[in-house]
Amino acid sequence: MALPVAFFALFFAWPVAAIVARGLKTDGAWYLGRIADVVTRPDIRHVLWFTTWQALASTALTLLLALPAGYVFARLDFPGKQLLRAVVTVPFVLPTVVAGSAFLALLGRGGLLDELWGVRLDTTVWAILLAHVFFNFAVVVRTVGGLWAQLDPRQEEAARMLGASPLTAWRKVTLPALAPAVAAAALMVFLFTFTSFGVVQILGGPTFSTLEVEIYRQTSEVFDLSTAAVLTLVQFAAVGAVLAVHAWTVRRRETALRLVDPAVTARRPRGAGQWTLLASVLAVVALLLVLPLAVLVRRSLDAPGLGYYRALTRADGGTFLVAPVHAVWTSLQYAVAATAIAVVIGALAAAALARRDAGRLVRGFDALLMLPLGVSAVTVGFGFLIALDRPPLDLRQSWILVPLAQALVGAPFVVRTMLPVLRAVDVRLREAAAVLGASPWRVWREVDLPLVRRALLVASGFAFAVSLGEFGATVFIARPDNPTLPVAVARLLSRPGELNYGQAMALSTILMVVCAAALLVLERLRTDRTGEF
């Protein structure tokens, strides 16, 4: 635990504490009354209300559209199911900047709706809500559908035989069993939308602002660290409450159910109702998930002769000191370094948490590992500049600053992917190897590593995709001569002109392709049953 604790203390707790302390101190003295001063301001109350309202609305809309898809993936077997599962998951691993760009190409100026009917929905709340559903659709499908596929269908069939209608059997048998998974998915979607930054920054315009966007504005535009610190504390408290409830629902889901092999629960669609449901889910996936990405690609090809892509190779001497295409190579380098850091930190933490003799303090660290996913990434990024600005740890001019920030987001995914596998390793295998004279290092290398190798590869892929798309912290610390892909997209979108807009669409397409390729590799690793497993 020593290295993971030191890493999170040094590169998460310290930067966040530094920016909060600077914001709440006046002439060297703490001024806690500033909290009441800020949260009672009308403009801040409006931000708090909109942040909460849009998160609740996004969560409800996501559940409404994604729960039928969860049933389809859990209970129906049809050609192309694995491919469709990958398509559904692609938006979740995409950076929020790409999601915003895709819906901007669909709903914004010159978008598909504008061309067909002269309608623009950018800078409206509907654009934000639909983009959030696009981004979080897979969370519900994976979380609820994964459990639904393992529920024994004979329980519901028994209720039907006893005279219950299909709706009554589902409401009284299946729904109570699914309730913890639905609650966990809803809490995760609420958490992601409550802290939304890239989507609202691109689609909200000057009209709509979440807490995360307001923290960025107060920090980088108004330079009001005091207000930004108060908003960070408010967001931190809300995220902590959501994570506490999430941990409770996960524990309930893990201990309250008897599950079966999901391979035996899926059947070919039967009857008009199931075929209609399958067709409806396919239509939702096509319109809500595939269409925005297709329009994004089409807009990147509007210029003749791949003009927008060719323009990426030229430095304009304005926003970028280098050609925008340089951001591709920079992002890949940063993502590889961040993945290496996240895998080391996350694997060590997972190994410690998987021990059956782990103490309460170690188990409590499991919940703390999730905080970087919910705490303001903007605060972390700006905190890096404040906390890591003097010897012996002056990293402001170092390239490693960006991978460190990205690894903070990637490490929790590594832990969540590896921990169930490590807990499933039979402890008697380790004990037998130790009795035969193997050292602890050799026990891990000969016993644990072969069993968790695929989980380690999957965790590395997730960390790579997440690091590649990190935006909130990177926007502060990425240097002008080394912008990452999300930062480059956001800067191009902030500049007027058709060429800048087209280049943003082209860079977003490149970023989408790289993330989708990483996801397809993950899906192959997940479904491959050969080898050591």
Side-chain angles (χ1 to χ4, degrees):
M1 288 297 297
L3 188 58
V5 169
F7 177 80
F8 279 92
L10 191 60
F11 298 113
F12 176 68
W14 185 19
V16 172
I19 191 171
V20 171
R22 180 168 296 194
L24 295 182
K25 277 187 176 181
T26 301
D27 297 328
W30 290 93
Y31 178 49
L32 297 181
R34 180 62 177 161
I35 297 177
D37 295 341
V38 171
V39 297
T40 55
R41 283 168 40 184
D43 59 325
I44 299 301
R45 286 206 308 269
H46 176 74
V47 170
L48 292 172
W49 164 248
F50 177 74
T51 301
T52 306
W53 177 87
Q54 64 83 25
L56 290 172
S58 297
T59 302
L61 189 59
T62 303
L63 290 175
L64 178 65
L65 295 176
L67 282 177
Y71 171 83
V72 165
F73 281 108
R75 293 297 196 221
L76 302 184
D77 187 21
F78 51 92
K81 182 177 177 178
Q82 291 300 329
L83 177 60
L84 186 64
R85 189 189 303 273
V87 170
V88 166
T89 312
V90 164
F92 180 70
V93 301
L94 289 179
T96 55
V97 170
V98 174
S101 300
F103 276 83
L104 191 64
L106 177 64
L107 308 175
R109 175 180 56 84
L112 184 62
L113 289 185
D114 193 14
E115 290 181 358
L116 295 178
W117 297 293
V119 176
R120 289 182 55 184
L121 293 179
D122 60 325
T123 69
T124 68
V125 70
W126 279 109
I128 295 173
L129 296 181
L130 290 175
H132 283 161
V133 175
F134 168 87
F135 187 75
N136 293 291
F137 194 89
V139 174
V140 177
V141 171
R142 291 277 185 169
T143 305
V144 180
L147 179 61
W148 209 334
Q150 298 178 74
L151 293 181
D152 192 343
R154 291 174 297 182
Q155 297 177 0
E156 189 171 330
E157 291 170 0
R160 295 282 306 278
M161 292 180 64
L162 293 173
S165 66
L167 179 60
T168 301
W170 181 83
R171 181 170 55 86
K172 295 206 171 180
V173 177
T174 304
L175 183 59
L178 287 176
V182 174
L187 286 168
M188 291 173 65
V189 173
F190 181 86
L191 177 65
F192 290 140
T193 53
F194 187 84
T195 58
S196 180
F197 178 56
V199 167
V200 181
Q201 178 81 347
I202 292 175
L203 297 175
T207 307
F208 301 106
S209 179
T210 57
L211 270 174
E212 187 84 349
V213 174
E214 188 64 21
I215 291 171
Y216 174 77
R217 192 180 74 85
Q218 294 290 338
T219 303
S220 63
E221 299 177 9
V222 183
F223 303 106
D224 186 351
L225 288 184
S226 180
T227 299
V230 171
L231 296 181
T232 297
L233 290 176
V234 172
Q235 183 167 308
F236 187 83
V239 167
V242 172
L243 290 178
V245 177
H246 177 261
W248 177 77
T249 59
V250 168
R251 285 197 301 270
R252 182 181 169 192
R253 181 183 65 187
E254 289 177 345
T255 58
L257 299 173
R258 298 174 65 89
L259 306 177
V260 297
D261 185 355
V264 303
T265 62
R267 300 174 179 175
R268 297 282 294 182
R270 292 177 297 182
Q274 289 189 348
W275 281 107
T276 301
L277 179 62
L278 176 59
S280 301
V281 169
L282 292 176
V284 169
V285 171
L287 293 176
L288 190 61
L289 305 185
V290 177
L291 181 61
L293 298 180
V295 173
L296 172 67
V297 175
R298 197 211 68 162
R299 289 302 304 272
S300 72
L301 299 173
D302 276 350
L306 300 177
Y308 293 144
Y309 288 90
R310 291 206 312 270
L312 295 176
T313 62
R314 300 192 294 267
D316 60 3
T319 301
F320 302 107
L321 301 179
V322 295
V325 73
H326 182 72
V328 178
W329 175 239
T330 300
S331 289
L332 291 175
Q333 289 178 303
Y334 284 159
V336 169
T339 301
I341 298 171
V343 167
V344 171
I345 299 300
L348 288 174
L353 293 168
R355 291 179 60 91
R356 289 173 172 80
D357 58 350
R360 183 175 299 176
L361 185 62
V362 174
R363 292 194 299 269
F365 185 65
D366 187 16
L368 296 179
L369 288 172
M370 297 294 290
L371 282 179
L373 298 181
V375 173
S376 168
V378 171
T379 300
V380 174
F382 197 65
F384 268 37
L385 299 181
I386 293 177
L388 308 178
D389 64 342
R390 60 178 62 89
L393 204 61
D394 185 359
L395 301 178
R396 287 178 302 174
Q397 302 300 319
S398 174
W399 66 271
I400 197 64
L401 202 61
V402 173
L404 286 173
Q406 294 173 342
L408 280 173
V409 182
F413 285 92
V414 175
V415 175
R416 295 270 72 81
T417 304
M418 295 190 62
L419 188 56
V421 180
L422 285 171
R423 282 176 173 165
V425 175
D426 192 340
V427 68
R428 292 173 296 182
L429 296 175
R430 300 189 184 106
E431 293 170 349
V435 168
L436 293 174
S439 64
W441 164 252
R442 188 174 181 184
V443 170
W444 181 86
R445 181 166 52 87
E446 301 284 350
V447 177
D448 291 78
L449 183 59
L451 294 175
V452 303
R453 182 176 296 145
R454 184 170 289 111
L456 184 62
L457 292 173
V458 171
S460 301
F462 269 120
F464 178 81
V466 170
S467 301
L468 196 66
E470 205 288 320
F471 176 59
T474 309
V475 71
F476 272 100
I477 56 182
R479 296 168 55 178
D481 58 340
N482 280 304
T484 63
L485 275 170
V487 172
V489 170
R491 290 180 181 174
L492 286 168
L493 287 175
S494 67
R495 300 175 63 186
E498 188 65 28
L499 180 60
N500 291 319
Y501 181 82
Q503 289 182 88
M505 297 297 108
L507 273 183
S508 296
T509 301
I510 293 173
L511 188 51
M512 178 189 69
V513 170
V514 175
C515 290
L519 176 66
L520 290 176
V521 173
L522 293 182
E523 284 296 319
R524 185 175 181 83
L525 290 172
R526 284 182 178 275
T527 56
D528 183 12
R529 300 301 180 189
T530 61
E532 64 272 9
F533 267 82

